[in-house]
Amino acid sequence: MTFYINTEHLKKEIEYPNRYQPENLLNSAGIVFASIFVFLLLFAPFGVYEPEFKLNYFLICFFHAFSPALILFLYFGTYNYIEREQLKNWTLLKEYIHVGIFLLLSGIASFLMRDLIYNNPTNWSWRYLYEEIRNCFLAGILFYFFLRMAGFYFKSKKDSPFVVQFEPLKNKTEKTAISPTLFINTQVKQDDFTLNPEDLLFVKADGNYIELTQSNHDEATVELKRISLTQFEKQITDYPHFFRCHRTYLVNMFKIEKVSGNSQGYTLSFHNTDAKVPVSRNQIESFNLCYNQLRSLQIA
């Protein structure tokens, strides 16, 4: 019997971790420093031999905690700068590789600090290099997965499971007698217009006007029309995939590429535009219901 490990999920693209984002990197480094410092100070997990100490144990804990925090900040800060165009292609496999490199560098840094901290004639030995790297990997992996599990736990408490399970919808419903071109009546006849519903990404209210954001030939265009969002919505009731997700927004559910957020509200992303559309808190349940109904039609 042959056993194998399916690694396809490691290659699936995920959102670049928030803790590595430039604006959060300093906070992440601070958390790493504080966690390691308190852990070493309270538990001395790898044993201590006081006659070898050149420094007070408090300072030894400080240096062992400061070193990985500094490496984390410098390593991912440099990565953010060099690979800023590739961050969207982040995968679990990439994250594990970068965490492994970070732990390796932390172990080497701990080894290089030995002469500063310990009075031991064999500081510069392969044995201690191996021990420092091994200790960093043992503690680092446990610490990393603890934070991972804690993050999943709090996310499950705070976020809607729907956000995690979201998959872009595809317009695979059967063709109906509905015309592919939609004629919209406005209050002023000369302002009446037509549009192709399949090109429409979302609509934004702007007083007595609306902004139509459409996707044409791999680029998004915006048109201003003199009609209220409520009046526009009444004229597209034959298209169930258009959903009023917010007081000022209506979206084409088939054009949504990504959903992020939590029970306080979602944020919707689309291809060909950096614009984001909010889903208000009181519309989340209806949004989920609309999504599940459309998805069930595709599966059926």
Side-chain angles (χ1 to χ4, degrees), residues 20-204:
Y20 303 143
Q21 299 284 358
E23 62 272 18
N24 296 322
L25 206 47
L26 188 60
N27 289 337
S28 296
I31 292 172
V32 167
F33 169 78
S35 301
I36 296 175
F37 180 73
V38 172
F39 181 67
L40 292 175
L41 195 63
L42 294 180
F43 300 105
F46 300 111
V48 294
Y49 184 56
E50 293 188 8
E52 291 185 356
F53 289 176
K54 286 185 178 181
L55 302 173
N56 180 276
Y57 185 65
F58 182 89
L59 290 176
I60 292 176
C61 293
F62 175 86
F63 283 117
H64 274 301
F66 180 76
S67 172
L70 180 62
I71 291 172
L72 176 75
F73 182 80
L74 294 177
Y75 179 82
F76 283 102
T78 302
Y79 181 81
N80 288 332
Y81 179 77
I82 296 175
E83 300 289 342
R84 56 185 177 274
E85 298 298 328
Q86 301 298 323
L87 298 183
K88 63 179 68 176
N89 299 323
W90 192 256
T91 63
L92 274 178
L93 181 60
K94 281 187 178 181
E95 179 162 347
Y96 293 158
I97 291 172
H98 285 290
V99 169
I101 294 173
F102 159 69
L103 293 176
L104 177 64
L105 293 175
S106 298
I108 294 173
S110 295
F111 172 73
L112 295 176
M113 290 191 303
R114 288 191 63 85
D115 261 354
L116 174 66
I117 297 173
Y118 304 113
N119 185 19
N120 188 317
T122 61
N123 276 335
W124 296 97
S125 65
W126 291 109
R127 170 201 165 192
Y128 281 121
L129 175 61
Y130 165 75
E131 284 190 2
E132 295 292 355
I133 294 175
R134 180 201 63 187
N135 292 344
C136 277
F137 269 87
L138 288 175
I141 290 173
L142 289 174
F143 183 65
Y144 169 78
F145 282 105
F146 171 78
L147 290 181
R148 266 271 180 190
M149 293 302 103
F152 284 138
Y153 173 78
F154 287 113
K155 188 176 182 64
S156 68
K157 291 295 184 181
K158 183 180 180 182
D159 290 4
S160 167
F162 171 79
V163 177
V164 178
Q165 299 170 2
F166 177 81
E167 295 180 6
L169 295 167
K170 302 301 179 183
N171 191 358
K172 296 181 180 179
T173 55
E174 294 183 1
K175 300 296 183 180
T176 66
I178 300 175
S179 171
T181 301
L182 183 62
F183 186 81
I184 301 296
N185 294 298
T186 65
Q187 291 181 334
V188 181
K189 188 172 181 60
Q190 64 185 25
D191 292 331
D192 294 351
F193 63 95
T194 61
L195 62 86
N196 184 347
E198 302 310 312
D199 293 335
L200 191 59
L201 300 180
F202 59 88
V203 184
K204 179 182 178 182

